[in-house]
Amino acid sequence: MLYDIRLHLRYDYDAAAGGGRHQVRVLPPTIAGVQRVIAASLSFAPAPSERLDFADFFGNNVTSIAFRDAHDALDIRMSARVAVSRPEPGLDVSPDIQQLRAELGTVRSLSPDAPHHFLAASDHAGIDAAITAYARDSVGSSTVGTAMDLCNRIHRDFTYDGKATTVRTKASDAFSLKRGVCQDFSHIMIAGLRGLGIPAGYVSGFLRTIPPKGKPRLEGADAMHAWVRVWCGRDAGWQEFDPTNGMRASNDHITVGYGRDYSDVAPIVGVLKTTGGQVGDQAVDVIPVVLEKA
């Protein structure tokens, strides 16, 4: 699939900010065997006094910006053309949990993709006894089967509610509510798998929204999305699951970044020298591109 992606983030401040520094993670990367970025751009208004583009520990694209002059708003626009071609899920060759633990013991790497980084509790996805008990009911004969069952159960048992939680909500709180958004469902799945000893991480990205048959695609109706990657053993490697929709990640999922939870891949984090609050708005368009044959 080929997509044109447009992201618009807007922040309006109650009082002019005398300065600020932020890190922005919204540019999709090229990932071998998964997606290829053909072109991408990221712009800011007002223009920052400083700008530095780099990759963080997990390989995510980061743009660090700083402002010295007073400004009462920040406007961020990203556009990209991305080709996505995920391999179809093959035969399940993942081990059961006991064998997975034995395989983990043979992994000596601490590279960014090493499963050891994704076993311990993290800020948004702590190890929680109630979530672990819930996840234990999904344990089957393979790690992939366990992850898929838990993914489907979260999709079935939890209610999507954009007003129930915030970006600061922890997995344990969303689990108690049985409500939330993609970020919450991903954190619950991550916490549950880690409680079972299965490495799991957070994926930030975009999801193509397919409108009902006969209905037009709504401009700006799409939003940044989140799903889960699970280490399923030496042979199966990392596999990705979307508990919000009860499915494996497909060619409709465009990756922006990987992390232990939302804290590692938040679209923007930073500090401002100001008083009062701020109001933010987000709009995303994920537009399938159909190339005409010559």
Side-chain angles (χ1 to χ4, degrees):
M1 292 295 299
L2 187 64
Y3 297 104
D4 279 342
I5 304 167
R6 294 195 296 261
L7 167 68
H8 181 203
L9 300 175
R10 171 82 183 187
Y11 298 91
D12 291 286
Y13 310 135
D14 289 343
R21 185 173 292 274
H22 312 277
Q23 287 190 348
V24 180
R25 290 173 170 84
V26 296
L27 279 170
T30 291
I31 304 170
V34 176
Q35 67 184 34
R36 179 170 59 92
V37 177
I38 298 167
S41 66
L42 179 61
S43 63
F44 304 92
S49 305
E50 301 175 18
R51 173 172 175 163
L52 175 65
D53 296 280
F54 63 96
D56 66 14
F57 175 77
F58 292 112
N60 305 317
N61 290 323
V62 185
T63 300
S64 177
I65 55 174
F67 298 92
R68 297 193 187 94
D69 299 327
H71 56 290
D72 57 11
L74 175 59
D75 198 87
I76 304 171
R77 295 179 184 270
M78 188 279 293
S79 62
R81 174 164 288 192
V82 182
V84 182
S85 182
R86 293 179 182 270
E88 290 291 327
L91 184 69
D92 183 0
V93 295
S94 64
D96 62 23
I97 291 181
Q98 294 301 322
Q99 182 59 34
L100 182 79
R101 291 171 181 164
E103 292 188 10
L104 271 169
T106 68
V107 178
R108 304 302 183 190
S109 171
L110 287 178
S111 67
D113 219 28
H116 303 298
H117 298 301
F118 305 92
L119 270 172
S122 57
D123 183 36
H124 284 78
I127 304 299
D128 180 273
I131 299 177
T132 300
Y134 176 81
R136 193 170 290 118
D137 289 338
S138 288
V139 173
S141 60
S142 75
T143 304
V144 167
T146 297
M148 191 71 250
D149 188 76
L150 181 58
C151 173
N152 288 332
R153 288 174 58 219
I154 292 172
H155 172 64
R156 183 188 69 224
D157 296 344
F158 291 74
T159 301
Y160 192 96
D161 183 349
K163 297 182 179 179
T165 58
T166 72
V167 294
R168 293 179 293 276
T169 300
K170 310 295 186 182
S172 56
D173 295 325
F175 183 78
S176 297
L177 290 170
K178 296 294 186 289
R179 313 177 77 83
V181 294
C182 58
Q183 174 181 316
D184 304 301
F185 303 152
S186 296
H187 285 149
I188 291 168
M189 184 171 173
I190 290 167
L193 291 172
R194 289 177 183 171
L196 298 175
I198 300 174
Y202 188 95
V203 189
S204 170
F206 304 105
L207 176 65
R208 172 191 181 186
T209 300
I210 301 174
K213 187 175 181 179
K215 298 289 186 179
R217 188 188 64 81
L218 299 176
E219 295 293 322
D222 302 329
M224 291 202 74
H225 193 52
W227 58 98
V228 179
R229 66 195 304 243
V230 183
W231 193 74
C232 297
R234 285 191 306 255
D235 296 327
W238 288 100
Q239 305 285 328
E240 298 183 9
F241 303 84
D242 182 350
T244 304
N245 296 290
M247 63 186 293
R248 300 283 289 265
S250 68
N251 285 342
D252 291 335
H253 293 73
I254 303 104
T255 299
V256 168
Y258 298 127
R260 292 161 297 184
D261 63 26
Y262 172 82
S263 298
D264 287 333
V265 290
I268 180 170
V269 293
V271 292
L272 287 170
K273 186 163 61 176
T274 186
T275 60
Q278 63 181 13
V279 177
D281 191 28
Q282 176 189 132
V284 176
D285 290 318
V286 179
I287 307 166
V289 177
V290 179
L291 299 178
E292 295 183 1
K293 294 183 179 180

